[in-house]
Amino acid sequence: MSDGSRSPSPTRKATRKKEWREEAWRKGRVTVEVLGARNLPADEDVADPFVALRLVDVAERNPLPFPFDRCVKTSVVKGTLEPEWNDERFHFDDVGPALPYVRIQVMDYNGPIHRPRLLGEVDVSLEALQTL
């Protein structure tokens, strides 16, 4: 007898996850969760890293035009070269069918007066992520 409390099979979980992902793509919402970074380069023994994210054009790798040109940032993690973030999730809505790239920049915060220093950068294809 089944009590109805069994967890869904791995195949059913994978199917639901795929359905959820396809629905999110149809709606044009992209969600990025920042978890952490490792082995960051630094001129000093420690850094105060944060991550900046923005959508960029596929062909020219320039920021998308308004209203999609926004840059979102994580909180600053003080004094580490291996930061970890909790609940740092960002949503980009109304992303068109020509999927852009997400530019991920890890920056070293240098206080409110000085500009942050770039520690590393990568552009990630959303189209490639869609097939995962």
Side-chain angles (χ1 to χ4, degrees):
M1 260 185 132
S2 172
D3 63 358
S5 63
R6 288 187 326 168
S7 56
S9 70
T11 305
R12 180 66 185 141
K13 283 183 179 179
T15 302
R16 285 200 337 236
K17 186 175 181 180
K18 183 178 179 186
E19 290 169 355
W20 173 84
R21 189 180 308 157
E22 288 172 356
E23 179 66 19
W25 284 110
R26 276 195 295 277
K27 289 182 177 179
R29 172 174 261 202
V30 174
T31 301
V32 178
E33 182 175 11
V34 179
L35 300 174
R38 293 187 193 122
N39 301 321
L40 294 175
D43 296 336
E44 306 156 12
D45 290 338
V46 295
D48 299 328
F50 69 94
V51 174
L53 303 162
R54 74 173 35 201
L55 299 179
V56 296
D57 182 73
V58 172
E60 298 178 20
R61 303 284 172 93
N62 291 326
L64 294 179
F66 181 81
F68 307 107
D69 62 343
R70 73 184 180 112
C71 179
V72 294
K73 299 174 185 174
T74 66
S75 58
V76 174
V77 179
K78 297 280 191 176
T80 183
L81 296 177
E82 300 204 7
E84 293 183 5
W85 288 274
N86 294 317
D87 284 334
E88 297 277 358
R89 226 175 253 123
F90 303 98
H91 304 285
F92 297 93
D93 290 320
D94 300 321
V95 177
L99 297 174
Y101 282 69
V102 174
R103 176 162 295 149
I104 303 168
Q105 296 177 310
V106 181
M107 311 289 282
D108 183 12
Y109 179 74
N110 290 313
I113 298 173
H114 302 288
R115 294 186 69 153
R117 185 172 59 89
L118 181 66
L119 298 175
E121 174 180 69
V122 66
D123 290 346
V124 178
S125 165
L126 292 178
E127 188 170 4
L129 291 178
Q130 183 180 18
T131 61
L132 294 178

